[in-house]
Amino acid sequence: MTEIDLSADLFGQTLTSPLLNASGVHCQTKEELNDLANTSNLGAMVTKSATLQAREGNPNPRYYDLENGSINSMGLPNLGYDFYLDYVLQEQTKPTILSVAALSAADAITLLKDLQASDYQGPTELNLSCPNIVGEPQLAYDFEATDRVLSEVFSFYTKPLGVKLPPYFDLVHFDKIAAVLNKYPLTHVNTINSIGNGLWVDVDQEQVVTKAKGGFGGLGGTMVLPTALANVRALRQRLNDSIKVLGTGGVTSGADVFAHTLCGADLVSVGTQVMKEGLGIYDRLAEELKAIMAEKGYQSLADFRGKLKEL
């Protein structure tokens, strides 16, 4: 029987698997990052989204498991940009995407100017989509502001750079964001971040389940899979071929990885299910994906990537 090939490409680096961790889950500390580096069937890793200064994040409780997913209001807790830059320069042993987040357009420019001047040559992801910063909007919902930021960024930034996007829900919005992104030499888009702002009610206690923002938080896990697949499909149809699509959201099985890939995802991230199951999930997903591919007669991801059929 022919060996099933799960290899994928990360901007010129060959990965043994298309699977990534979703930034924000088990990737904040050096110990957690090292755990990822030693996780089999995790093709590449993504750091916690780093802000200019270290952040404690929102007060606890800020994560709550739901039967069909999760709700969180983490608020970008991280050890600060300098820590993660040092890690990717000194410590990384697995292909890594450095994720950075800005609380303002000015912060984004400051971060990326520092990165441009640094020795780091690897891929960076600019998070334009955190829904859980109190008082701060998601930049990528403002198409003109996104355009202005990217225009300034690419006036000086020459290294590999992608963006992390929030979920979009209207076909016109897909058209508008793609028109902006296609103007720039982005390596990739990562879609989707969690769906903000959801709310869960503990009926027994008659109260919300997370503290910040009165209980409003980002939704993840199984319930967001249809939205994630729609965003992967819609953006893949609209973006330049040179811009890769990283699919994130709702992955709990090899079938979900298959579906993301069928919709056009080059790589697939896992978040909530890692919280529920631990890092062993990557071995399970890889085996389930291989079984599906073998049953269908596919030998590589390229055999079916982006080949979703329509009725």
Side-chain angles (χ1 to χ4, degrees):
M1 178 174 140
T2 304
E3 181 73 19
I4 301 295
D5 180 13
L6 292 187
S7 65
D9 176 78
L10 179 70
F11 323 126
Q13 299 180 83
T14 299
L15 309 181
T16 58
S17 157
L19 297 173
L20 309 173
N21 63 292
S23 178
V25 178
H26 203 99
C27 59
Q28 182 170 335
T29 65
K30 180 178 177 179
E31 291 73 22
E32 289 177 341
L33 290 165
N34 287 342
D35 287 344
L36 293 176
N38 293 317
T39 297
S40 60
N41 285 307
L42 182 70
M45 49 196 271
V46 186
T47 70
K48 188 76 173 71
S49 288
T51 51
L52 272 173
Q53 306 298 328
R55 287 177 56 88
E56 290 292 331
N58 291 335
N60 288 313
R62 57 190 185 186
Y63 176 88
Y64 190 84
D65 255 330
L66 301 173
E67 183 178 354
N68 61 342
S70 65
I71 184 168
N72 85 86
S73 186
M74 302 300 290
L76 285 177
N78 72 95
L79 299 180
Y81 161 76
D82 288 339
F83 170 83
Y84 298 102
L85 177 60
D86 183 68
Y87 184 89
V88 296
L89 286 174
Q90 305 295 333
E91 303 283 346
Q92 74 173 79
T93 57
K94 187 188 287 285
T96 302
I97 297 173
L98 174 62
S99 178
V100 296
L103 303 184
S104 67
D107 280 1
I109 300 306
T110 299
L111 278 167
L112 291 172
K113 281 188 174 179
D114 191 90
L115 265 178
Q116 178 66 32
S118 76
D119 291 334
Y120 180 63
Q121 302 297 323
T124 297
E125 183 173 285
L126 177 60
N127 185 347
L128 301 176
S129 58
C130 182
N132 295 319
I133 304 300
V134 177
E136 298 291 340
Q138 296 185 64
L139 181 62
Y141 281 143
D142 185 332
F143 305 118
E144 292 182 358
T146 299
D147 197 3
R148 288 194 299 270
V149 169
L150 292 179
S151 178
E152 185 168 357
V153 165
F154 283 107
S155 71
F156 64 85
Y157 200 79
T158 60
K159 299 177 180 181
L161 180 68
V163 292
K164 186 171 186 177
L165 298 175
Y168 298 102
F169 302 96
D170 193 296
L171 293 178
V172 172
H173 293 161
F174 291 122
D175 294 338
K176 289 185 175 181
I177 191 62
V180 170
L181 301 177
N182 282 335
K183 295 165 64 175
Y184 302 103
L186 292 163
T187 54
H188 72 281
V189 300
N190 188 339
T191 182
I192 58 173
N193 206 331
S194 56
I195 299 178
N197 282 278
L199 186 74
W200 188 257
V201 174
D202 181 332
V203 172
D204 290 337
Q205 298 297 319
E206 301 180 20
Q207 66 183 19
V208 298
V209 296
T210 57
K211 186 173 180 64
K213 298 168 56 182
F216 288 86
L219 303 177
T222 306
M223 72 178 90
V224 310
L225 180 62
T227 299
L229 295 177
N231 277 258
V232 169
R233 173 70 165 171
L235 290 170
R236 181 67 282 160
Q237 290 176 318
R238 290 164 172 79
L239 291 174
N240 297 334
D241 291 342
S242 59
I243 301 176
K244 291 183 178 291
V245 175
L246 278 52
T248 304
V251 174
T252 64
S253 69
D256 299 335
V257 180
F258 186 92
H260 267 278
T261 308
L262 197 64
C263 286
D266 294 278
L267 302 170
V268 179
S269 303
V270 189
T272 292
Q273 199 61 25
V274 174
M275 295 286 289
K276 292 175 178 286
E277 189 173 332
L279 296 179
I281 185 176
Y282 294 105
D283 289 339
R284 177 174 68 78
L285 293 178
E287 290 307 308
E288 291 176 1
L289 179 59
K290 284 182 180 180
I292 292 169
M293 291 171 62
E295 182 179 354
K296 292 176 174 291
Y298 294 133
Q299 296 178 12
S300 72
L301 300 173
D303 291 342
F304 61 95
R305 180 183 292 117
K307 297 181 180 179
L308 182 66
K309 301 171 186 175
E310 297 185 5
L311 298 180

